[in-house]
Amino acid sequence: MSLAANILFYQFQAMSTPESPFASYHLWSLVAPATSQQRWHCQMRRGFIKARQHEPQVKALSATASASQRIGLLAQKGVYEFHHHKYLLDRSDGVEQVAQILKLSASTEEVQQRVRQILQNYHNDPLLLDKQIVLLTRGDEGFPKPILITQQNYRFRLYAAMDCVFIESDRTLHILDFKTGKSPFDQRQALVYLLAARYLYPSYQAVASFYNLELSKKSEVISVTQSELDAIELEIAHIAQKHQQDLQKYQQQNNHFSQVFLPNPGYHCRFCPFHSICEFSGVKSSSA
Ligand code: SF4
């Protein structure tokens, strides 16, 4: 998930009703595992996040941002502040100034250390310097307006919270997603952005890439043909439809939660935010 989307998907839950199919990279990642992650992929987790999100316990567990989510958001805000106050990129105390804007001292030691390193990395090598920036989000703006995609056989709303969009010198539109931590880039996120760009920036050729702010590491640049984009759109439409059907099934017989959203318990449950309330959890909690 993008840093912006990472923080914002909880707001998104309130907007998702069984009556209106929607899709996003986040939904795609909950429906289908990334390559090599099949073993610990759990559909019940999607059920908690997308079907039971309004229950007080689920809401409380969802709202607890992990250290890595906080680092992601602060890193994104840091990049935004460097470009909002561009002179800070030239100042020797630029990192300190941005740290103060972010009120970094209020965070835990781990968060402070890692975000300070990210700010230092970016100050040393500001990737967006001299780029023609079209969009650069702080990461806490609220969820973007959905794109309504209507074709003969399907109709759905696409949500794509982009971190950054800029124009290359050859007029190519480049969508950049910032990352932190060690998770591998998931190409599907870039594909969702490229599909969104087809509707948001129709006069541009678009490419997408990732940049890990913590490791100062760029991904390859991802591009697709129009026919590949058609196939991606169809796949995402199926995901939207499947999820809507699951929501409807759950709504009709909500005592069958585990039959609609199948659990996949295991060691990975200890990293699941819902393990304390999940009756299938592989983690034994003293309070459960
Ligand atoms: S605790 Fe385990 S089984 Fe339950 S939702 Fe989370 S990953 Fe799935």
Side-chain angles (χ1 to χ4, degrees), residues 82 86-97 123:
F82 272 129
K86 233 171 171 179
Y87 64 93
L88 291 175
L89 286 169
D90 291 327
R91 284 181 54 150
S92 58
D93 65 346
V95 169
E96 194 44 50
Q97 296 269 338
H123 190 262

Side-chain angles (χ1 to χ4, degrees), residues 116-164:
R116 215 171 267 281
Q117 186 58 54
I118 287 167
L119 297 178
Q120 191 62 60
N121 292 349
Y122 198 80
H123 190 262
N124 294 346
D125 184 15
L127 185 73
L128 296 173
L129 191 69
D130 302 328
K131 294 279 191 280
Q132 190 187 333
I133 298 172
V134 176
L135 173 81
L136 178 60
T137 58
R138 281 193 322 272
D140 60 358
E141 289 85 350
F143 219 80
K145 273 171 63 175
I147 302 161
L148 185 62
I149 296 183
T150 307
Q151 302 290 359
Q152 210 174 352
N153 302 325
Y154 54 81
R155 186 172 194 269
F156 66 98
R157 293 169 297 145
L158 179 68
Y159 289 87
M162 298 174 186
D163 291 339
C164 176

Side-chain angles (χ1 to χ4, degrees), residues 36 42 53 102 161 163 235 265:
S36 80
C42 179
Q53 67 273 24
L102 300 180
D163 291 339
E235 185 168 355

Side-chain angles (χ1 to χ4, degrees), residues 40 42-45 48 262-266 268-269 272-275 278-282:
W40 50 85
C42 179
Q43 295 297 334
M44 184 168 276
R45 199 166 162 263
F48 279 117
L262 297 178
N264 178 26
H268 53 272
C269 290
C272 173
F274 308 107
H275 70 78
C278 174
E279 62 178 302
F280 299 91
S281 169

